[in-house]
Amino acid sequence: MADTVNKTLDPRVNRRGFLKGCTMAAAALGLSESMVPKMVEAATSAQRPPVIWLHFQECTGCSETLLRGAHPDLANLILDIISLDYHETVMAAAGYQAEQALHDSMEKNAGKYILVVEGGIPTAENGIHCKIAGKTAMESLEEVASNAAAIIAYGTCATFGGVQAAKPNPTGSVGVDKLVHDKPIINISGCPPNPVNFLGTVLHYLTFQRLPAVDSLKRPKFAYGRRIHDHCERRAHFDEGRFVEQFGDEYHKLGYCLYKVGCKGPETFANCPVARFNEAGVWPVAVGHGCIGCTEPNFWDTMTPFYDRIPNVKIPGSGIVEDADRIGTKVLGVTAAAVGIHAVVGIGKRLIKGKSDSEG
Ligand code: FSX
Ligand code: SF4
Ligand code: F3S
């Protein structure tokens, strides 16, 4: 069945992409240069972990972001290091055949498979708002989670309920950890989440045989340990009081800080400014839109209105650097992080070059 799933996807996986993906994940994990070969070794092991991927209440943007063509190397790397036994939106099988695949994998890999959950789980009225193959999402989750080795809740819907949980949450949507209490669970939030964080989590699991360290919301610290605002490329503008007053104004064109047009970066924990999205290396703030806080619980309620500024964040005097030393330290911190990730990408390029040289 893993082959069936993989055959439906772009087969363009190659050594260059493989090393590049491992290097990106190592950089995201904050690992030193010496760990990259160990991760590559773990990723190329013959023992690919079986993965069962369930979909509940969601828009499927999480899978789309992970599998679509902007970064085929990344998608293929993920599909190369795991054995994707069941994934409703990409598997070729349907109906009873698909159900059989699910049960075969659960039986064969009992206690060993990773369960990935995408989407919120409706609990109101005994969960009737989402049914697949005659079972409610609550029943499917309970059944498949019971024999999982670990669970990755992928996306803000699976981690915190997501858009369906916005007030008044008519279906009683919740994240996985509200229903499953006896398994290791990691929350990779974001609407959608960054595939680099999924890859980093899986590679960490393969390399160290355990999930990475998490914060109080079960999010991996390597990805959610810092506020967006603390490593944003527009932070120097914030510190010096240079703000976009409205979208399209001259300050917007100059790339000033988006705080006044609603950026929620000061209250949002994620690595978007460093991990970025797609091969183009962009993220919301880089293309001129504020962060809407999509990695935080209940952001549809707590971060709205999206275009209003967050109250109670101190805005420095316009154009005045109040504390040059403090600001200099912060800017240096951002720069150091950026230099760090580029340095590790450079290591990857050297590894690729070394491999090519030795092959050729
Ligand atoms: Fe939710 Fe994912 Fe947002 Fe969409 O499946 S996190 S609505 S991007 O797709 O679950
Ligand atoms: Fe960046 Fe937003 Fe913070 Fe401004 S408010 S520095 S745009 S994260
Ligand atoms: Fe989401 Fe903000 Fe990143 S909206 S994608 S956490 S910049």
Side-chain angles (χ1 to χ4, degrees):
M1 181 49 64
D3 287 345
T4 313
V5 173
N6 286 332
K7 273 178 197 158
T8 65
L9 295 157
D10 187 339
R12 285 175 290 162
V13 74
N14 56 41
R15 182 186 301 279
R16 181 178 294 273
F18 192 85
L19 283 169
K20 191 175 160 197
C22 285
T23 305
M24 280 170 71
L29 285 163
L31 294 175
S32 74
E33 180 176 355
S34 62
M35 285 307 298
V36 175
K38 193 168 181 215
M39 291 184 82
V40 171
E41 191 188 325
T44 48
S45 147
Q47 291 296 316
R48 298 187 304 160
V51 171
I52 294 175
W53 195 300
L54 298 179
H55 291 256
F56 299 131
Q57 289 179 307
E58 37 106 27
C59 78
T60 313
C62 305
S63 278
E64 287 284 333
T65 316
L66 194 134
L67 299 172
R68 285 296 162 186
H71 39 67
D73 288 339
L74 195 59
N76 280 309
L77 170 58
I78 291 167
L79 292 165
D80 211 45
I81 62 176
I82 63 173
S83 172
L84 188 56
D85 286 7
Y86 181 86
H87 185 298
E88 282 143 8
T89 47
V90 300
M91 67 195 301
Y96 292 115
Q97 201 189 3
E99 285 307 292
Q100 193 60 48
L102 174 60
H103 289 287
D104 288 351
S105 179
M106 282 171 59
E107 205 174 291
K108 184 170 147 216
N109 303 305
K112 291 186 280 190
Y113 58 82
I114 298 173
L115 167 61
V116 179
V117 178
E118 199 174 321
I121 303 105
T123 58
E125 298 166 274
N126 293 321
I128 58 163
H129 299 279
C130 178
K131 288 184 98 172
I132 297 158
K135 285 180 210 149
T136 65
M138 287 168 78
E139 288 167 338
S140 295
L141 177 65
E142 187 181 359
E143 183 185 4
V144 185
S146 66
N147 267 324
I151 302 174
I152 299 175
Y154 194 53
T156 297
C157 298
T159 53
F160 308 126
V163 63
Q164 346 10 249
K167 283 177 190 151
N169 192 359
T171 65
S173 182
V174 297
V176 173
D177 70 355
K178 292 282 181 298
L179 298 170
V180 179
H181 304 288
D182 57 353
K183 296 285 171 185
I185 297 175
I186 196 155
N187 284 334
I188 302 181
S189 61
C191 185
N194 195 315
V196 168
N197 297 334
F198 181 82
L199 179 62
T201 299
V202 172
L203 278 175
H204 187 285
Y205 186 76
L206 291 179
T207 308
F208 304 107
Q209 279 83 53
R210 59 184 157 78
L211 291 170
V214 296
D215 66 11
S216 60
L217 295 170
K218 298 193 177 72
R219 300 179 297 192
K221 284 184 183 166
F222 76 81
Y224 303 88
R226 297 174 74 192
R227 282 187 175 85
I228 294 272
H229 187 60
D230 293 339
H231 50 153
C232 173
E233 65 242 33
R234 299 189 189 216
R235 176 58 186 266
H237 292 304
F238 178 94
D239 286 343
E240 298 207 25
R242 295 192 291 259
F243 298 101
V244 174
E245 299 293 334
Q246 60 180 44
F247 287 106
D249 69 10
E250 61 182 300
Y251 306 123
H252 196 210
K253 288 174 194 154
L254 286 166
Y256 284 6
C257 169
L258 297 158
Y259 169 74
K260 285 191 179 177
V261 287
C263 181
K264 305 299 187 292
E267 292 190 351
T268 303
F269 288 80
N271 59 351
C272 307
V274 181
R276 297 175 177 253
F277 289 82
N278 304 326
E279 288 294 284
V282 293
W283 67 291
V285 167
V287 294
H289 194 286
C291 167
I292 61 169
C294 79
T295 56
E296 295 300 316
N298 308 315
F299 80 96
W300 295 98
D301 296 325
T302 59
M303 300 292 186
T304 46
F306 287 137
Y307 297 103
D308 284 2
R309 69 165 78 169
I310 313 168
N312 306 323
V313 172
K314 185 174 175 293
I315 301 182
S318 179
I320 298 166
V321 179
E322 291 178 328
D323 180 343
D325 288 342
R326 179 183 60 81
I327 289 163
T329 309
K330 283 187 177 160
V331 172
L332 187 65
V334 173
T335 310
V339 167
I341 201 157
H342 285 117
V344 185
V345 170
I347 294 161
K349 284 184 181 155
R350 288 205 299 281
L351 271 173
I352 291 164
K353 187 170 182 304
K355 288 266 179 191
S356 309
D357 290 349
S358 63
E359 282 163 7

